[in-house]
Amino acid sequence: MMKQTYSVSGMTCNGCKNSVEKSLLKFIEIVEATVNLEKKEVEVLLNDEISVQNLQTGLADKFVISEKIENVDTIFKEEETSQIKQLYPLFLIFTFITTASILIHYRDWQIAEFMYTFMGLFYVVFSFFKFLNVKGFATSFAMYDPVAKTLPKYGLVYPFIELVLGFCFLMHFQIMPALIFTIVILGITTVGVTKSLLSKQTIKCACLGSVLNLPMTKATFIENSIMIFMAIFMILKLI
């Protein structure tokens, strides 16, 4: 089954609407036909391909059917806007974490302390969303993380790993191991994210668990890259 939308000129009333729908449904290739009078369009559900020329022969002379010509720029803008709306929760969380980290240290500013707080809050907040539905997160995570694909139980443990790392950074406990672990686990996930983006797969991002429906995009790659960069920067600073 496949859906196709056509433009139809000559329709002025509900009578025209019914006439077009009934005429199109006479074709064995068409399972369903729905006319939108305002848009002068008809959406059909097909079980096989059929040419516009054949469709025209089944309509009254006053109606002219043609393939709908999409405005590429409009489609691109709509997709971009839709993606921004979907990623809004992610951007909002990042803004809050960044703002909180700055406010905590603005009186005695030290880049290292800011990074520790940011990374700690990042892990704690993101693990919280994963804990809302651990099994759902594990299922989504296994779709792109290399380790989770091989070891499904890794996805169930991952939220706990994030929470522990968050506490380590916030409490300044075992910082070096926490930094190394950050590079390893986020590095592995980033490899999976990169493969998904390059293959242009439509995969749900599990960064905020399964509660929010976020698409896998470059934002996910950037999010992991920021954390990895911070971890590398702090290791070099500590050595």
Side-chain angles (χ1 to χ4, degrees), residues 143 196 199-205 215-216:
M143 294 181 70
S196 298
S199 62
K200 297 182 179 179
Q201 291 177 287
T202 304
I203 294 178
K204 179 180 177 180
C205 175
M216 180 70 71

Side-chain angles (χ1 to χ4, degrees), residues 19 24 47 70 98 110 112 130 137-138 159 175 178 197 211 234:
S19 176
L24 292 176
N47 57 29
E70 299 282 4
T98 303
Q110 291 183 40
K130 294 178 178 69
F137 159 74
I175 289 295
L197 292 175
V211 179
M234 291 312 303

Side-chain angles (χ1 to χ4, degrees), residues 46-107:
L46 301 162
N47 57 29
D48 197 3
E49 292 185 1
I50 184 170
S51 67
V52 178
Q53 290 76 15
N54 284 344
L55 293 177
Q56 185 63 63
T57 61
L59 298 177
D61 292 338
K62 64 179 291 188
F63 305 121
V64 178
I65 190 168
S66 59
E67 291 185 1
K68 185 180 177 183
I69 300 174
E70 299 282 4
N71 187 315
V72 178
D73 290 336
T74 301
I75 294 174
F76 178 78
K77 287 177 182 177
E78 287 179 352
E79 288 181 349
E80 189 176 32
T81 301
S82 175
Q83 196 173 81
I84 291 174
K85 285 183 179 179
Q86 287 179 310
L87 292 173
Y88 177 72
L90 185 61
F91 294 141
L92 190 63
I93 290 171
F94 255 90
T95 301
F96 271 71
I97 290 175
T98 303
T99 303
S101 301
I102 291 173
L103 290 176
I104 290 171
H105 299 290
Y106 84 98
R107 288 184 177 177

Side-chain angles (χ1 to χ4, degrees), residues 22-40:
K22 288 180 180 179
S23 297
L24 292 176
L25 287 173
K26 291 179 180 178
F27 291 96
I28 59 173
E29 295 89 351
I30 296 179
V31 178
E32 190 177 296
T34 306
V35 167
N36 186 316
L37 270 178
E38 292 183 3
K39 295 182 178 181
K40 306 296 182 185

Side-chain angles (χ1 to χ4, degrees), residues 94-135:
F94 255 90
T95 301
F96 271 71
I97 290 175
T98 303
T99 303
S101 301
I102 291 173
L103 290 176
I104 290 171
H105 299 290
Y106 84 98
R107 288 184 177 177
D108 184 23
W109 179 259
Q110 291 183 40
I111 189 65
E113 293 301 317
F114 162 77
M115 286 188 174
Y116 289 147
T117 301
F118 179 93
M119 295 173 79
L121 291 177
F122 175 95
Y123 277 131
V124 170
V125 172
F126 277 64
S127 66
F128 163 78
F129 284 98
K130 294 178 178 69
F131 276 118
L132 293 176
N133 185 356
V134 178
K135 289 184 178 179

